[in-house]
């Protein structure tokens, strides 16, 4: 086993929702951490909160990963062992309206990172992929062998292309890459000092639920109750963001300990549990003792009926497994909402 405290991890998008939780876990585990974020979808105060939780300070560069010259300077200053590349735009709806913006930000940032990893003898890269690459899987739970279907959005397309580019570039063999396909990340840190900061009216279920319970929004609309599921509402695999953060540490360890079986690996990161929208509502009310006003509405175009993960490959090879349950996800999201 290598001594992790001697290792340096550069985290792009490290002040974002998943990035900030991962930076905390890396610092607590003893890694040296360099954060690069252009604050396009995050706030500077998250940096201070990370330090407060971890009691350690990462190095911070406010730079755009698409700026190759700025990024080259950072790699010249520091010997980086692993890069975790979170930086990307992530709104599916916005990507349908502004596809070019998504291809530019998500692909140019990735191409720059791949070039710098290759040129600077970095051991490996961990890439943020998404369950969105599966679209609506024919067979559930989705395994890593489940085929991609043609992406319905530029966002989904950048994740599929991202994985394909990584596979091609790593095949020359100078560094390793691990793509993590996240299912539905929710929840916040137990200190309620960091969490998701959705801009405007949220599209995702959890922030919509907490903002409705808080009285910021009038009512939640359940998008369809005529699906072929236990109660007619859609099924998803919600995963606590702290469990997800820990999956990144497991991926870093695998790269550093030279345990990768191939140059480019992919792993599903979910809990394996499918939960319906109505089950979330009931569990939210039971956990928080708050009444959640909701109505049943029409299906949302593009929604898959049911998506949940087979994460047994991650359990076997990354030695990682989700440990936090739905109650933990709800409690921590609610505690975070109450600080906003
Ligand atoms: P986020 O928007 O909270 O974090 C992304 C961070 O990257 C932000 O802090 C933003 O300011 C920064 N950023 C974006 N473009 C940049 C650039 N060019 N240069 C520097 N910084 C840049 O998003 P998140 O939820 O933490 O997601 C992180 C990653 O995980 C993304 O790649 C996203 O596509 C992927 N992902 C997210 C989800 C989810 O539900 N949150 C699901 C699957 C995959
Ligand atoms: C969406 C994205 C996915 C992204 C994920 C991030 C689409 C098609 N997919 O997934 O690419 O990785 O967010 O977390 O946009 N729901 C309601 N009412 C609401 C909001 C949501 O009923 O107000 C339902 C949805 O129909 C869905 C479930 O809640 O069944 C979860 O929705 P959401 O949080 O938006 O995530 P996904 O659609 O699964």
């Amino acid at each position: 086993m290598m001594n992790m405290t001697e290792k340096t991890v550069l985290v792009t998008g490290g002040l974002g929702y998943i990035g900030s939780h991962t930076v905390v876990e890396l610092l607590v585990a003893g890694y040296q951490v360099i954060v690069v974020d252009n604050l396009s979808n995050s706030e500077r105060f998250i940096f201070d909160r990370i330090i407060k939780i971890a009691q350690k300070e990462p190095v911070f560069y406010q730079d755009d990963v698409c700026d190759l010259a700025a990024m080259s300077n950072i790699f010249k200053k520091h010997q980086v062992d692993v890069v975790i590349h979170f930086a990307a735009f992530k709104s599916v709806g916005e990507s349908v309206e502004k596809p070019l913006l998504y291809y530019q930000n998500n692909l140019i940032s990735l191409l720059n990172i791949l070039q710098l990893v290759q040129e600077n003898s970095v051991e490996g890269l961990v890439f943020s992929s998404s369950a969105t690459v599966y679209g609506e899987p024919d067979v559930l739970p989705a395994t890593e062998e489940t085929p991609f279907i043609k992406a319905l959005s530029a966002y989904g397309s950048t994740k599929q292309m991202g994985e394909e580019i990584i596979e091609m570039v790593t095949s020359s063999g100078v560094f390793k890459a691990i793509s993590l396909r996240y299912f539905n990340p929710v929840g916040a840190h137990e200190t309620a000092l960091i969490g998701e900061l959705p801009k405007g009216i949220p599209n995702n279920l959890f922030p919509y639920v907490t903002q409705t319970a808080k009285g910021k929004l009038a009512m939640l609309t359940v998008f369809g109750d005529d699906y072929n599921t236990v109660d007619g509402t859609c099924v998803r695999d919600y995963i606590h963001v702290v469990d997800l953060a820990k999956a990144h540490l497991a991926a870093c360890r695998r790269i550093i300990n030279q345990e990768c079986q191939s140059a480019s690996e992919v792993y599903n990161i979910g809990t394996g549990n499918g939960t319906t929208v109505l089950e979330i509502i009931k569990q939210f009310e039971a956990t928080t003792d708050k009444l959640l006003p909701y109505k049943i509405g029409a299906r949302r175009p593009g929604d898959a009926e049911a998506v949940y993960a087979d994460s047994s490959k991650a359990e076997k090879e990354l030695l990682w497994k989700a440990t936090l349950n739905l109650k933990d996800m709800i409690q921590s999201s609610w505690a975070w909402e109450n600080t906003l």
Side-chain angles (χ1 to χ4, degrees), residues 139-184:
V139 181
L140 286 167
T143 72
E144 290 79 358
E145 306 309 319
T146 301
F148 287 5
I149 61 146
K150 191 173 162 54
L152 292 173
S153 69
Y155 170 72
S157 167
T158 65
K159 294 300 176 190
Q160 292 183 342
M161 290 170 79
E163 283 197 25
E164 283 162 14
I165 293 167
I166 287 170
E167 195 180 345
M168 289 295 170
V169 173
T170 52
S171 66
S172 64
V174 289
F175 65 92
K176 305 289 187 223
I178 297 181
S179 294
L180 301 180
R181 294 177 180 160
Y182 317 153
F183 281 64
N184 286 55

Side-chain angles (χ1 to χ4, degrees), residues 92-103:
V92 175
E94 187 185 49
S95 84
V96 174
E97 285 159 33
K98 301 175 185 165
L100 187 56
L101 182 73
Y102 273 67
Y103 285 114

Side-chain angles (χ1 to χ4, degrees), residues 226-279:
D226 57 351
Y227 287 99
N228 185 24
T229 61
V230 283
D231 57 24
T233 64
C234 291
V235 170
R236 294 289 181 275
D237 186 339
Y238 297 94
I239 172 159
H240 197 298
V241 67
V242 172
D243 273 333
L244 177 54
K246 288 178 178 164
H248 293 80
L249 268 71
C252 288
R253 269 198 305 272
R254 185 166 172 88
I255 290 169
I256 291 165
N257 292 334
Q258 298 180 355
E259 290 163 353
C260 295
Q261 296 296 309
S262 62
S264 164
E265 296 182 327
V266 293
Y267 292 97
N268 282 344
I269 304 294
T271 63
N273 302 319
T275 309
T276 68
V277 180
L278 287 177
E279 284 166 351

